[in-house]
Amino acid sequence: MELRIGWLYPKLMSTYGDRGNVICLQKRAQWRGFDVTLVPLDRQSEAPQFDTVDLIVGGGAQDRQQEIVMRDLQGEKAQALKEKLDGGTPGVFTCGSPQLLGKYYEPALGQRIEGLGVLDLETKHPGLEAPRCIGNVVFEITASPLAEDLKAQLGERPIVIGFENHGGRTYLGKVAPLGKVIQGYGNNGQDGGEGAFHRHAIATYSHGPLLPKNPFLADWLIQKALEEKYQTPISLSPLDDTMATQARKAMFERLGLSSRVKTA
């Protein structure tokens, strides 16, 4: 079986180590014997290339780079991406990418940047004097059916740990939050929500990068991508995640959360 991973604008949207999500997906698929192809989806790409990928990854960006991407990702390319996500293609989108998929982003300086409208959310920067949302973030996944799938896999409620660094505040409309904040800011530091979830697409402010810290999310994305592609149930062979489990345990202890959440 082959897995084709589409990487949105890798040179413009890979801040805070977000390329680690691509590497994690690539390696965890290859370790199981799948053929993996990385497909850059950037300014040189045409709309038909979006149709060739099975899983899409988007990272964060500074305001300037994000504006360049939003200007390029229009017309047929934007429609192709929207159709993929609406059709059930899995994806993981971090920080700037969810803002791109939303209705718009209002930066601290400059004009509003229109988004694709795939996700019913809006992002606004409160101004240059406002503090950034920076620090470790821990949240419980609550979005359905992701939460149910992961609980069945893990035998416990799925807890994600990551690192957030964003100035914009995101407000959801008719789209489910990805999870409920246990520690940190999440979407806006007010309503307790973190990220958003659409079909099989994960949107989040969690860098870290996200997937190496939470490998069960990577496996869920790989499984769903292959099931969507081959239209058959997929069972992934287990991998040795001892180091990831130990790292999660250490972080929960450092944050004083080891008594509240399990570390597996």
Side-chain angles (χ1 to χ4, degrees):
M1 289 184 174
E2 180 190 21
L3 181 66
R4 293 176 60 84
I5 301 174
W7 190 355
L8 285 179
Y9 299 87
K11 293 183 179 180
L12 293 172
M13 302 189 74
S14 293
T15 58
Y16 309 127
D18 289 336
R19 69 175 53 245
N21 289 332
V22 177
I23 296 171
C24 181
L25 289 166
Q26 179 185 26
K27 292 300 184 181
R28 293 184 73 83
Q30 288 176 336
W31 290 336
R32 293 179 166 104
F34 300 120
D35 294 327
V36 179
T37 301
L38 298 182
V39 182
L41 301 173
D42 52 24
R43 286 184 287 180
Q44 285 70 48
S45 302
E46 300 294 336
Q49 286 184 269
F50 286 78
D51 294 329
T52 69
V53 301
D54 311 310
L55 197 163
I56 303 173
V57 181
Q62 302 299 319
D63 287 357
R64 174 57 180 156
Q65 286 73 23
Q66 188 164 326
E67 184 176 2
I68 294 172
V69 170
M70 285 180 158
R71 287 178 177 175
D72 180 72
L73 193 54
Q74 301 291 332
E76 293 183 354
K77 292 167 72 170
Q79 184 61 29
L81 176 58
K82 186 177 187 302
E83 289 178 356
K84 290 290 285 184
L85 298 181
D86 286 345
T89 296
V92 56
F93 303 93
T94 306
C95 198
S97 294
Q99 297 171 0
L100 170 72
L101 297 178
K103 290 182 175 180
Y104 62 82
Y105 171 57
E106 289 186 354
L109 295 174
Q111 298 181 342
R112 174 186 292 187
I113 304 171
E114 298 298 326
L116 300 181
V118 177
L119 302 177
D120 186 13
L121 57 83
E122 304 166 351
T123 303
K124 304 175 183 180
H125 197 295
L128 295 176
E129 300 301 319
R132 292 182 65 82
C133 300
I134 302 177
N136 293 296
V137 58
V138 181
F139 60 94
E140 177 185 357
I141 291 181
T142 57
S144 183
L146 176 59
E148 291 80 8
D149 289 348
L150 292 177
K151 187 173 182 179
Q153 172 191 336
L154 302 172
E156 60 189 27
R157 61 191 181 120
I159 304 296
V160 169
I161 187 166
F163 188 88
E164 58 185 334
N165 185 346
H166 55 102
R169 272 63 163 175
T170 294
Y171 302 91
L172 305 186
K174 295 179 181 179
V175 61
L178 175 63
K180 179 180 179 181
V181 174
I182 297 174
Q183 183 164 313
Y185 296 94
N187 288 335
N188 51 55
Q190 299 172 342
D191 59 24
E194 208 295 313
F197 186 74
H198 174 68
R199 296 296 310 273
H200 296 136
I202 294 170
T204 180
Y205 271 119
S206 177
H207 297 279
L210 173 72
L211 300 185
K213 286 186 174 182
N214 308 277
F216 50 85
L217 281 178
D219 288 350
W220 184 86
L221 289 164
I222 293 170
Q223 180 182 19
K224 291 302 177 185
L226 293 174
E227 289 181 344
E228 287 290 320
K229 179 174 186 174
Y230 292 104
Q231 292 296 296
T232 186
I234 298 293
S235 179
L236 299 180
S237 57
L239 298 176
D240 184 359
D241 288 327
T242 301
M243 291 186 66
T245 300
Q246 291 175 343
R248 284 168 56 81
K249 181 179 179 180
M251 283 304 303
F252 286 131
E253 290 176 349
R254 180 181 299 179
L255 296 174
L257 296 174
S258 56
S259 63
R260 293 182 57 190
V261 299
K262 294 184 179 181
T263 56

